[in-house]
């Protein structure tokens, strides 16, 4: 297991970071900071409540340390997150301002969810590369991104894999890439898929979290051009996936032929469509 743990600690206020470092180095999945409440460290075994109370200055410390006052980070805040150094994603909640024709913003931040990015080389070894498109299905926190990262890296040792890494968390600095991998950071998935499809000559295109109709349309376009896909989707098993209207266009067109179904304990099974 590989984790940019020191980089995670640099974005935390010292009084919180010290507690996290002493008890969560190997087990922490997320850290939830809520204004006027104790910090909540989430592990695979449940929640651990740390001492102290989260204050406004703690939340500001995390935002400023993670963003380094970067204009790109400021723009992603409009979508409710920042990606910190090391690939750790920070979700943001609070009093937001929304305007249909302008970027959103936060008047006041009241909650942060800091998700620990961990890399597990070899996690995808049981998934055979059969020159098919692969969809990884699982609930939040079940390891979809981790498995996607290792699978794309392994396939990229032999074939050209272009990764559209919208949130800059799949392959941050320090995470090993495949020798034939090209990564496009910070581009929305639909436009990013179109860009690498037209310019990079990929065998595979990899994206994390299909969440919009525009994502599906971009993947269908790539598949129709003969490119294989590696992607993740939210769902608890095949039946749950089939019930979600968002994914119907992909399923009806048989865009994916291999489905990796994650379980809560981060194990998985593989189903293949017969075409």
């Amino acid at each position: 297991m590989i984790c940019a743990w020191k980089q995670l600690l640099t974005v935390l206020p010292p009084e919180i970071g010290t507690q996290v470092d002493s008890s969560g180095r190997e087990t922490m999945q997320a850290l939830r900071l809520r204004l006027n409440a104790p910090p909540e460290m989430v592990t695979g075994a449940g929640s651990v409540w740390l001492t102290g109370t989260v204050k406004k200055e703690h939340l500001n410390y995390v935002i400023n340390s993670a963003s380094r006052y970067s204009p790109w980070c400021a723009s992603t805040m409009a979508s409710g997150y920042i990606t910190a150094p090391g690939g750790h994603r920070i979700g943001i909640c609070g009093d937001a301002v929304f305007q249909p024709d302008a970027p959103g913003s936060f008047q006041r931040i009241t909650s942060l969810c800091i998700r620990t990015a961990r890399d597990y080389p070899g996690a995808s070894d049981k998934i055979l590369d059969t020159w098919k498109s692969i969809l990884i299905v699982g609930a939040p926190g079940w390891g979809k991104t981790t498995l996607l990262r290792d699978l794309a890296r392994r396939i990229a040792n032999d074939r050209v894999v272009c990764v559209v890494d919208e949130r800059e968390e799949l392959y941050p600095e320090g995470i090993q890439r495949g020798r034939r991998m090209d990564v496009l950071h910070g581009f929305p998935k639909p436009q990013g898929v179109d860009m690498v499809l037209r310019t990079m000559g990929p065998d595979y295109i990899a994206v994390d979290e299909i969440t919009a109709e525009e994502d599906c349309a971009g993947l269908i376009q790539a598949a129709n051009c003969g490119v294989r896909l590696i992607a993740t989707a939210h769902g608890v098993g095949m039946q749950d996936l089939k019930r979600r209207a968002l994914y119907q266009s992909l399923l009806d067109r048989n865009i994916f032929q291999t489905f990796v179904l994650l379980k809560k304990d981060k194990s998985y099974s593989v189903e293949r469509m017969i075409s």
Side-chain angles (χ1 to χ4, degrees):
M1 184 271 291
I2 300 170
C3 176
W5 185 253
K6 291 183 178 179
Q7 290 175 292
L8 174 63
L9 293 178
T10 63
V11 308
L12 300 179
E15 58 267 43
I16 296 175
T18 299
Q19 296 183 70
V20 167
D21 191 32
S22 65
S23 58
R25 180 182 289 266
E26 301 296 332
T27 60
M28 190 179 84
Q29 298 178 353
L31 177 68
R32 294 183 178 274
L33 303 179
R34 302 180 179 95
L35 187 63
N36 299 324
E40 178 189 6
M41 186 172 67
V42 182
T43 72
S47 292
V48 177
W49 297 94
L50 307 181
T51 61
T53 301
V54 175
K55 301 177 181 178
K56 179 180 178 181
E57 49 264 38
H58 294 144
L59 301 177
N60 289 339
Y61 185 102
V62 173
I63 293 296
N64 292 333
S65 299
S67 68
R68 298 177 179 176
Y69 302 96
S70 161
W72 162 246
C73 286
S75 69
T76 68
M77 283 184 64
S79 298
Y81 74 93
I82 292 177
T83 302
H88 310 288
R89 190 200 309 173
I90 303 174
I92 305 169
C93 271
D95 300 332
V97 178
F98 175 76
Q99 297 177 344
D101 299 321
S105 61
F106 283 91
Q107 287 183 326
R108 187 171 72 117
I109 294 173
T110 58
S111 298
L112 299 176
C113 178
I114 306 166
R115 297 178 61 180
T116 311
R118 299 184 187 274
D119 186 25
Y120 291 86
S124 68
D125 285 352
K126 295 181 181 179
I127 305 172
L128 299 178
D129 176 15
T130 57
W131 193 227
K132 302 289 185 180
S133 291
I134 301 167
L135 184 65
I136 300 169
V137 181
W142 285 15
K144 296 187 299 297
T145 299
T146 300
L147 195 58
L148 172 68
R149 179 186 295 124
D150 188 60
L151 179 61
R153 175 173 53 212
R154 183 161 58 84
I155 292 176
N157 285 328
D158 298 309
R159 298 189 172 98
V160 177
V161 178
C162 288
V163 180
V164 180
D165 191 2
E166 181 175 2
R167 294 174 174 172
E168 299 190 47
E169 61 181 345
L170 277 170
Y171 296 98
E173 184 178 353
I175 295 296
Q176 182 183 358
R177 303 179 181 184
R179 63 183 177 183
R180 303 190 70 193
M181 176 177 287
D182 305 297
V183 181
L184 177 64
H185 279 311
F187 238 74
K189 285 188 284 291
Q191 294 89 336
V193 168
D194 183 67
M195 178 182 291
V196 299
L197 179 64
R198 295 175 183 275
T199 62
M200 298 302 295
D203 297 318
Y204 278 87
I205 294 176
V207 301
D208 198 12
E209 294 194 356
I210 303 169
T211 57
E213 293 289 350
E214 292 81 3
D215 299 344
C216 297
L219 296 178
I220 291 170
Q221 178 189 5
N224 287 339
C225 293
V227 175
R228 300 298 188 265
L229 306 168
I230 315 167
T232 68
H234 292 285
V236 184
M238 283 300 299
Q239 292 306 312
D240 186 33
L241 185 73
K242 291 176 181 178
R243 283 194 293 265
R244 297 177 182 247
L246 172 63
Y247 304 124
Q248 286 306 307
S249 60
L250 300 173
L251 297 174
D252 291 345
R253 292 172 172 81
N254 295 320
I255 298 301
F256 294 95
Q257 299 80 44
T258 300
F259 296 84
V260 180
L261 308 177
L262 281 162
K263 301 176 183 178
K264 190 174 182 178
D265 63 1
K266 294 182 174 57
S267 63
Y268 58 82
S269 61
V270 178
E271 290 190 17
R272 292 184 172 84
M273 301 291 290
I274 299 175
S275 58

